[in-house]
Amino acid sequence: MYWLSVVVWLFLILIPILSIFGSFSHADLVAGLGSPLVREALKVSAVSSGISMALILTLGLPTAYFLAHSNWRGKIFLDTLLDLPMVLPPAVAGTALLLAFGRSGPVGRWLSEIGLVIPFSLLAVVMAQTFVAAPFFIRSAKSGFQAVDRNLEQAAQTLGKTPCQVFWRVTFPLSLPSLVSGMIMSWARALGEFGATLVFAGNMPGRTQTLSLAVYTAMETDFPAAMVMSALLVIVSFVVLMAVKLLAGKGLG
Amino acid sequence: MLEVQVKKKFRSFTLDLELSAGNELICLLGPSGAGKTTLLHMVAGLMEPDEGLIRVNNKSYFQKPAGARRGRQLPPYRRRVGYVFQNYALFPHLTVNQNILFGAKGSMDETRQEASYLVNLLRLRGLEQRKVTELSSGQQQRVALARALITRPDILLLDEPFSNLDELIRRKLRLDLLRVHRDFRIPIMMVTHDLEEASTLGEMVAVMDSGRILQVGTREEVFYCPRSRRVARFVGMKNIFDGRVAEVKPEENLLKVAGDKFNVCLPYHPCRVGDRIVFGIRPENISLVRNGAELGKRGENNVLKGRLVEMIPEGPGYRLFLKTTADTYDLEILIPSRIALKHQLTVGKELSVTLRKTALHLLRED
């Protein structure tokens, strides 16, 4: 009888998803893809999530390595802190960012003195996305590094390789599947980011309005366009998730 | 050339040992937790001792005098150590050839020659393009050896190299290792807890327990003249007895001992009448005496009578268990099957055996 439970899930997930695809005509699709609202949102999303990913990768990789390989008292505190954005309500994350980096915040005040105003800018979008999406990459990368047999890294060292060479020739290729799947998950999360962005970066078309924010706006002004963007996000998310599963199943190396 | 003198405190024990050797094959023998692998890690630079020194081939790997705040620890990649891990630690994402060439330095030509030589030496021809995960354990072991040797190390460290292999492959690999030792002329330090392995391979044997070296010496010294009761147990001396000195006769090179189980004559050793002593003899040094046979000098042969209570085939011979007192058994004897046949041994038979004075060995109590 266990298939009955599956039917319930299908009812709950598949039907709403399919109704998105049934909610617009072919003409709507063409019009939607051509509308400036959708195009600008696409651009903002692509640029901001791209920058966020670059940030997450360059800063997350060493952090994940450090967490995987070091052992000190209080490490669990840092570990938990880095995971926190994953469970925090996005609105809370946005509020926190706004408080810290807003004009009257401790960091924001100092930054605005040197002429840098973060809130309601593309930088704010990037910060919100990085804040929320980084844990997905760091977690995955950390467990990938931890899964590499310590003996392999030690063996490479006795074979005359410096720690840096050991990383690129042994640790990195062996943890690549985890890195890639963490990266994809993280990117998908950044792309879907809504709450924190709305609070911290606002919803300004062409500047801070990402795809998910545009869906929200268009719901009232241009319903078919909202549905076209929703469909786009659904497709991307599905492909991304499936790619991660395939990667995990096969193992890249 | 190898010189080690290190100390390190751990939560459960303190490692404190000294060892020096030339280009010998040294077997580190001892129970798990004795600190054997730890010692290898220290020589390879994968773990830093609290104090002491490690020198290989006149190159200082580690130096930190007692009480000094800072020492000199050469990182592993600047030492010249070949390390074969217990699980071989081959790189699963590389082929056999890529694994072997991983640590290679120098020109392409030289490297290729060197690799080709090692592939031949270690019987790996034809496997070069395979993935290492497709190899048998014995083949993986040889790849690990080749990979370590291509760096032309100054010392080779092996952590229980034959523990995951079946007997036949083990024998072949031992020969491979001896060939490597002959060709490379570098010290080889090998961890094992297999007595037979230590006795067939180890030119030198170091018996370790709880972070200390109990005895180090040639295979003969350690196996036939263990210093203490503990070492005697580790090296399989089996027949270890307590007794009291009854007579001391240095001029006759004689020590008469009233054993708790039987009386024997031992070679002279400075001690006083009445001293408690421990003595032992290896199972293969006890021989059977044919009833009524003439024996040489009396008193030197320590002939004992007993009943055969058990007889177990072992390798090309038998292990006998002889009962001379009320205990379950008192003596373990190892004899070739030829002798067993000649004496028509059956369980329950009364036997005479001789514990030759020169084979009896005095042990230190510990």
Side-chain angles (χ1 to χ4, degrees):
Chain A
M1 299 305 277
Y2 51 80
W3 56 271
L4 262 177
S5 64
V6 178
V7 169
V8 175
W9 289 118
L10 284 180
F11 184 75
L12 197 66
I13 300 171
L14 190 60
I15 302 223
I17 295 288
L18 286 179
S19 39
I20 291 179
F21 289 90
S23 66
F24 54 89
S25 64
H26 182 73
D28 288 335
L29 179 66
V30 176
L33 287 177
S35 86
L37 177 87
V38 177
R39 289 189 161 207
E40 291 198 319
L42 253 173
K43 208 180 101 191
V44 171
S45 269
V47 172
S48 61
S49 68
I51 299 174
S52 299
M53 279 324 292
L55 266 175
I56 290 172
L57 289 186
T58 44
L59 294 176
L61 212 61
T63 303
Y65 189 81
F66 173 66
L67 281 177
H69 279 299
S70 66
N71 206 354
W72 38 281
R73 209 198 290 238
K75 177 181 143 181
I76 187 158
F77 177 77
L78 178 66
D79 209 31
T80 311
L81 193 71
L82 286 167
D83 279 347
L84 193 62
M86 240 183 343
V87 292
L88 218 55
V92 175
T95 313
L97 284 169
L98 192 60
L99 280 175
F101 298 103
R103 259 178 215 275
S104 51
V107 187
R109 192 180 312 145
W110 177 73
L111 283 176
S112 67
E113 267 169 32
I114 60 168
L116 188 65
V117 180
I118 296 179
F120 312 109
S121 68
L122 186 71
L123 182 56
V125 179
V126 168
M127 281 175 70
Q129 288 176 347
T130 305
F131 185 90
V132 178
F136 290 86
F137 176 71
I138 293 176
R139 264 183 83 91
S140 180
K142 188 186 91 175
S143 59
F145 291 148
Q146 273 169 342
V148 175
D149 184 355
R150 259 327 250 144
N151 281 347
L152 294 181
E153 292 164 330
Q154 293 179 327
Q157 280 203 44
T158 66
L159 292 166
K161 301 295 175 217
T162 63
C164 189
Q165 289 169 316
V166 173
F167 178 80
W168 290 112
R169 295 192 54 177
V170 178
T171 318
F172 182 75
L174 286 174
S175 47
L176 197 57
S178 300
L179 297 179
V180 173
S181 72
M183 196 178 98
I184 295 176
M185 285 299 288
S186 182
W187 180 69
R189 180 69 187 83
L191 194 68
E193 216 306 298
F194 177 83
T197 316
L198 185 64
V199 174
F200 185 42
N203 186 8
M204 290 179 278
R207 280 189 60 199
T208 67
Q209 192 175 71
T210 58
L211 269 178
S212 32
L213 286 168
V215 170
Y216 177 68
T217 309
M219 287 286 281
E220 283 162 11
T221 56
D222 186 355
F223 191 73
M227 290 308 105
V228 168
M229 287 186 284
S230 301
L232 206 65
L233 284 169
V234 168
I235 292 170
V236 170
S237 306
F238 190 82
V239 169
V240 156
L241 275 179
M242 204 152 87
V244 170
K245 283 179 200 300
L246 288 176
L247 269 180
K250 245 187 359 200
L252 248 168
Chain B
M1 254 278 296
L2 165 73
E3 214 184 325
V4 179
Q5 189 252 307
V6 288
K7 262 185 202 169
K8 189 174 177 74
K9 257 190 148 70
F10 292 93
R11 214 174 308 161
S12 53
F13 74 111
T14 303
L15 188 94
D16 180 0
L17 49 83
E18 245 185 282
L19 182 65
S20 61
N23 289 340
E24 285 110 343
L25 203 163
I26 311 159
C27 276
L28 299 177
L29 189 66
S32 26
K36 305 180 301 263
T37 302
T38 308
L39 174 58
L40 294 197
H41 271 62
M42 285 176 171
V43 174
L46 301 172
M47 182 184 282
E48 189 173 346
D50 290 342
E51 61 176 71
L53 67 91
I54 299 173
R55 293 174 68 80
V56 172
N57 219 359
N58 286 322
K59 192 167 159 190
S60 168
Y61 280 6
F62 171 77
Q63 189 154 20
K64 187 176 173 190
R69 296 196 63 199
R70 306 210 72 191
R72 181 184 138 77
Q73 158 91 339
L74 205 63
Y77 53 89
R78 291 187 48 209
R79 302 183 178 199
R80 295 172 59 92
V81 169
Y83 199 125
V84 176
F85 288 79
Q86 191 175 2
N87 65 357
Y88 317 135
L90 296 179
F91 303 120
H93 57 303
L94 303 178
T95 64
V96 168
N97 212 25
Q98 289 168 325
N99 263 281
I100 295 177
L101 293 175
F102 190 88
K105 283 187 207 100
S107 73
M108 277 294 276
D109 242 26
E110 259 174 39
T111 305
R112 209 169 294 144
Q113 243 176 28
E114 190 78 21
S116 168
Y117 157 75
L118 285 169
V119 162
N120 276 334
L121 182 75
L122 293 165
R123 303 180 282 122
L124 291 166
R125 194 55 77 214
L127 300 174
E128 294 98 320
Q129 300 313 321
R130 294 265 202 100
K131 283 207 121 191
V132 288
T133 42
E134 296 165 0
L135 302 182
S136 72
S137 318
Q139 291 166 337
Q140 291 190 3
Q141 168 71 271
R142 294 185 325 247
V143 175
L145 254 175
R147 185 183 67 174
L149 289 171
I150 205 159
T151 61
R152 285 268 154 195
D154 284 340
I155 184 170
L156 185 63
L157 308 174
L158 304 126
D159 196 350
E160 296 198 30
F162 308 125
S163 60
N164 301 325
L165 305 166
D166 59 57
E167 190 53 35
L168 201 72
I169 294 170
R170 204 182 283 218
R171 277 171 202 278
K172 275 192 183 163
L173 274 170
R174 280 184 198 154
L175 294 180
D176 288 336
L177 185 62
L178 289 173
R179 201 160 53 229
V180 164
H181 186 45
R182 205 178 49 223
D183 281 20
F184 278 76
R185 315 195 137 276
I186 50 173
I188 298 181
M189 191 144 76
M190 182 180 122
V191 165
T192 179
H193 43 225
D194 183 332
L195 277 180
E196 195 197 327
E197 207 159 277
S199 74
T200 48
L201 286 177
E203 295 168 289
M204 266 178 83
V205 176
V207 181
M208 285 183 68
D209 192 24
S210 30
R212 269 151 224 279
I213 291 184
L214 301 181
Q215 186 174 357
V216 55
T218 64
R219 145 183 40 205
E220 286 73 21
E221 277 166 10
V222 173
F223 277 82
Y224 291 95
C225 306
R227 199 188 292 156
S228 64
R229 191 198 288 265
R230 217 148 35 124
V231 175
R233 279 213 193 103
F234 284 137
V235 299
M237 183 162 245
K238 298 294 181 192
N239 304 299
I240 303 168
F241 307 101
D242 294 283
R244 194 179 290 282
V245 176
E247 263 182 75
V248 186
K249 288 185 174 169
E251 67 282 1
E252 286 177 47
N253 184 24
L254 190 70
L255 209 61
K256 285 198 168 178
V257 174
D260 293 359
K261 287 180 172 171
F262 37 72
N263 299 336
V264 286
C265 296
L266 260 65
Y268 170 75
H269 187 269
C271 53
R272 278 182 312 232
V273 172
D275 282 357
R276 293 291 301 174
I277 61 157
V278 186
F279 59 97
I281 185 166
R282 289 193 71 81
E284 60 267 35
N285 280 348
I286 301 179
S287 29
L288 301 191
V289 183
R290 217 178 307 176
N291 279 340
E294 276 296 315
L295 290 169
K297 246 160 109 192
R298 293 197 63 213
E300 304 258 309
N301 294 302
N302 301 316
V303 176
L304 299 174
K305 278 189 199 312
R307 198 156 59 84
L308 186 60
V309 289
E310 187 83 78
M311 176 172 175
I312 299 169
E314 184 177 312
Y318 286 94
R319 189 171 284 264
L320 312 179
F321 294 85
L322 201 70
K323 178 184 163 105
T324 62
T325 61
D327 280 347
T328 352
Y329 69 86
D330 311 295
L331 289 173
E332 265 188 63
I333 306 164
L334 205 58
I335 55 164
S337 29
R338 174 175 55 83
I339 305 286
L341 273 175
K342 202 165 81 185
H343 285 263
Q344 295 173 320
L345 292 184
T346 47
V347 171
K349 193 170 177 175
E350 296 291 332
L351 293 177
S352 296
V353 294
T354 162
L355 283 54
R356 273 178 307 106
K357 185 183 95 176
T358 46
L360 273 168
H361 180 69
L362 200 69
L363 302 168
R364 200 180 62 196
E365 188 62 84
D366 49 10

